[in-house]
Amino acid sequence: MPSNNKATILIVDDEPQNIDVLTGVLRKDYKVKAALNGEIAIHIANSAKKPDLILLDVLMPGIDGYEVCKQLKENVETANIPIIFVTAKSEVKDEEFGFTLGAVDYITKPISPPLVLARVKTQLALY
């Protein structure tokens, strides 16, 4: 696949080191954008060049990941962007809540790089 046809992944996390880890896992195969908070994530998702998939942390100051997901799914312009939560929240109820908001997958931290790659690849193939 030519590099200009690479899918764009938006990583949203308030911890720069988490963004760095995910970028390291994904940058070989995908274009990567990053946002340090929910407000920036919503802005990027609504831009002319929308991401093809969003990796979204739940626990962030300001607008948390659940609210970001809710807002993006309610907007016709961004509703079809697949969202994978990547979070330390590992309770089944948290995962279920993420799915009810419209997320397509849920990955708990600390991440497994091969798992992240496999899940991203799968979701991009589906959408």
Side-chain angles (χ1 to χ4, degrees), residues 36-71:
L36 287 168
N37 63 50
E39 292 87 347
I40 295 170
I42 291 168
H43 177 75
I44 292 171
N46 280 292
S47 68
K49 179 64 183 110
K50 295 180 179 3
D52 296 296
L53 183 139
I54 299 171
L55 296 176
L56 181 59
D57 186 23
V58 172
L59 300 171
M60 297 183 293
I63 302 175
D64 72 9
Y66 291 142
E67 182 60 27
V68 171
C69 182
K70 182 174 174 284
Q71 288 186 30

Side-chain angles (χ1 to χ4, degrees), residues 9 11 22-30 32 55 117 120:
I9 311 294
I11 301 169
L22 285 166
T23 298
V25 170
L26 298 167
R27 76 170 153 234
K28 181 174 153 275
D29 300 310
Y30 305 102
V32 177
L55 296 176
L117 276 172
V120 164

